Amino acid sequence: MDKPDLVYIAFIATDVEKLWRLLTSEADSPFWFFGCRIEIGGAAGGPYRVLGPDGALAVDGEILAIEPPHRLRILWRMPGNPLGEGRQNEIQYRIEPATEGVVKLSVSEFHHLPVPDAWQEAGREGWSKILSALKTLCETGRPLPLAMGEQP
Amino acid sequence: MSRGVDEDLLFRALADPVRRQLLDRLRAAQGLTLAVLIDGLPMTRQGASKHLAMLEAANLVAVVRRGREKLHYLNPVPIQQIAARWIGAFEADRVAGLVEFKRRIEEDGQA
């Protein structure tokens, strides 16, 4: 197994299928992704795009692996490759049962290109908010009122 | 796993200078084995293991097993949840205050 560079975890009182649906729903994505909308194909090799609230393309990625309802791995390619050319970085979502009625959601970053400290800082805040928003949405059905910070 | 239990664990885990120091180290460099994490710190492996178990129980440290190695990562998500709880509420109050303010000045305007 390759070694992740960063890991974020949330424990959420929900079931695996419900969280998977939320994570892969184009319609629901703005409620947990800073108003961004995802576009996601159904199979490996398919697209994974993130569109900002203004419709601008923020991530022009690709599904590397999709195993519903447990694992989604994405090539996190940003238009213009701002981190450099070569193999782009990857994000992996994993959903596992934890205790009775609780699931563990983890997001791992795999860096093939170095990520500047300021980006890591923004990512730390961004992913923390995204996971918190997913938790609140799953557990209460209400979106978390997020301050619009930097996107990861 | 109720919110209360989670938060008790979280605050207990944070209420110790050694554990906060371990979190500081993981913030600077992530994915560390226990040996690397405590290198140069005046603590035993056993003592560090106990601290890390508590941080993991509070979900402040994420552990990834790779072969026989355990890698440790800082997980800031629970701290964000604490912030959202109070900062979110504060913002909601401020919005409510603004709505009330707008209603009052509009009434004044009509008077």
Side-chain angles (χ1 to χ4, degrees), chain A residues 1-11 99 102 121 124-125 127-129 131-132 135 144-147, chain B residues 1 6 26-27 30-32 56 59 61-66 71 73-78 80-81 84 88 91:
Chain A
M1 194 183 93
D2 46 356
K3 177 187 168 180
D5 289 273
L6 295 167
V7 180
Y8 303 96
I9 292 177
F11 290 90
T99 53
V102 177
E121 198 82 355
R124 196 175 285 140
E125 191 181 338
W127 284 118
S128 295
K129 285 182 176 174
L131 266 62
S132 297
K135 181 176 167 72
L144 189 68
L146 286 180
Chain B
M1 197 190 295
D6 281 353
L26 287 176
R27 187 173 188 276
Q30 303 221 40
L32 303 183
E56 192 184 350
N59 195 27
V61 163
V63 172
V64 172
R65 282 174 183 80
R66 198 179 55 151
L71 306 175
Y73 295 81
L74 170 66
N75 181 39
V77 175
Q80 168 60 34
Q81 280 157 10
E91 282 173 349

Side-chain angles (χ1 to χ4, degrees), chain A residues 60-72:
Chain A
D60 189 14
E62 182 186 321
I63 298 172
L64 296 174
I66 182 164
E67 298 161 18
H70 292 293
R71 191 169 85 99
L72 175 65

